[in-house]
Amino acid sequence: MDMDVPEAFEPFSLEVGGATLAGFEIGEGLPVVFLHAGVCDKRMWLSQMQAVADAGWHAIAYDRRGYGETQSADVAFHHGRDLEALLEAFGIHAAVLVGCSMGGGLAIDFALRHPGRVIGLVLIGTSVSGAPWDATEAESMIEAAEEDAFERGDNDMLNRVQAHEWLDGPRAQSGRVSGAARALFLDMNALALNKPALTQEQPMADAWHRVAELAAPSLLLVGDQDFTAIIDRHEQLSEEMPNAFAAVLENVAHIPSIERPILVNAMLLQFLDAIAGGGDDENDDESEG
């Protein structure tokens, strides 16, 4: 399943409460933990991990339960507890958390539970537990197609619909993103869709009404081809989070790390440089909120 994972990436596995979490790491220095989207796995971060390792950071990514190479029995679990166990296993007290979509929601949940353990947050098209959701007519149509494929148990069709929904963008033409990025998305999401169901996940607490408590330096990135509700959500986050820099990425949807890796890498490295004390106010040039 590695699909061109570079040899420099060191694999690891971690036994946690009925699961074996699979991950890889690269580099040395302050830790940057990458948390994948709910339609991807750890491989969505390969380019970003290499970039931050080259810049002197320790990059870590893992597959959550239900994704990638991680194996889990159908037992009660909480993604936040798994993340805590991972940090403990690496001897990490505080880290930069980089999360996309559901991975961003996990990063927010962890930051609210353990504010002193978060050096910085990078949230990309983030979910937030308890956040409102409204869809435009075009967005509702693709959601209906997704629901139909799910109810029929057609995982191949569901994968294609979700590639349109999340990789191309719900208002964009299907197939807008092609080549290696699309092949990777389809492979990552197919693995998740065909995993045995995990029925005992413990939900995260409502975070939407607490986002003003997220005081760590934060970078908020969202693509202008993402769902309208997610774009609106990022605008509100940029207003309520006290130390947030926000940018809207043009002609990008929900998974910019594989669609526009060079752009994401540059913004991520600039942010890391700033919070490490090597930067200045350059991030203001990228700020929209």
Side-chain angles (χ1 to χ4, degrees):
M1 97 162 227
D2 59 12
M3 285 193 71
D4 300 323
V5 175
E7 291 184 2
F9 283 66
E10 293 287 339
F12 67 84
S13 62
L14 178 64
E15 301 292 330
V16 180
T20 303
L21 305 182
F24 43 50
E25 60 176 318
I26 185 173
E28 297 179 351
L30 291 173
V32 183
V33 178
F34 291 85
L35 304 168
H36 63 77
V39 285
C40 297
D41 58 43
K42 63 184 181 295
R43 292 172 293 166
M44 71 172 284
W45 300 116
L46 287 173
S47 180
Q48 290 71 45
M49 293 179 71
Q50 184 69 65
V52 303
D54 290 345
W57 298 75
H58 180 197
I60 302 167
Y62 70 102
D63 296 325
R64 296 194 301 281
R65 298 184 197 228
Y67 299 92
E69 296 177 307
T70 286
Q71 302 295 325
S72 178
D74 189 11
V75 295
F77 74 96
H78 189 283
H79 286 305
R81 302 296 186 194
D82 287 351
L83 176 57
E84 291 170 7
L86 178 104
L87 296 181
E88 181 178 353
F90 275 93
I92 295 170
H93 173 70
V96 177
L97 301 180
V98 181
C100 178
S101 192
M102 291 175 65
L106 174 56
I108 289 172
D109 180 71
F110 184 89
L112 289 172
R113 290 165 61 94
H114 307 287
R117 302 189 63 184
V118 177
I119 301 169
L121 287 170
V122 180
L123 305 174
I124 304 174
T126 193
S127 67
V128 185
S129 58
W133 183 267
D134 291 303
T136 67
E137 183 176 355
E139 294 167 351
S140 296
M141 290 177 64
I142 198 167
E143 287 180 324
E146 179 185 32
E147 183 177 357
D148 178 67
F150 175 78
E151 289 180 349
R152 290 188 288 109
D154 188 343
N155 282 349
D156 289 339
M157 177 59 73
L158 181 56
N159 197 7
R160 292 194 293 271
V161 171
Q162 289 182 331
H164 181 184
E165 186 177 27
W166 299 111
L167 185 65
D168 300 321
R171 300 177 307 281
Q173 182 177 354
S174 180
R176 181 184 67 84
V177 180
S178 60
R182 195 171 202 85
L184 177 58
F185 178 94
L186 291 170
D187 189 69
M188 292 188 293
N189 197 38
L191 280 172
L193 291 174
N194 289 289
K195 288 270 190 179
L198 300 177
T199 63
Q200 300 184 62
E201 177 183 349
Q202 298 173 353
M204 296 180 189
D206 184 292
W208 182 242
H209 299 98
R210 297 182 59 195
V211 295
E213 300 173 32
L214 296 169
S218 301
L219 175 62
L220 306 173
L221 302 178
V222 66
D224 67 358
Q225 296 300 310
D226 208 339
F227 275 90
T228 304
I230 296 176
I231 298 171
D232 292 345
R233 176 185 305 162
H234 268 248
E235 182 176 359
Q236 186 161 342
L237 290 174
S238 72
E239 294 172 354
E240 295 195 25
M241 292 171 63
N243 292 306
F245 300 98
V248 177
L249 308 181
E250 294 184 359
N251 299 315
V252 181
H254 196 61
I255 317 291
S257 66
I258 63 173
E259 184 183 351
R260 295 286 301 281
I262 294 174
L263 174 62
V264 173
N265 293 356
M267 300 184 76
L268 174 58
L269 290 175
Q270 184 183 41
F271 174 73
L272 292 176
D273 187 52
I275 65 173
D280 48 30
D281 293 330
E282 289 179 356
N283 286 46
D284 291 339
D285 295 335
E286 303 288 351
S287 178
E288 294 190 18

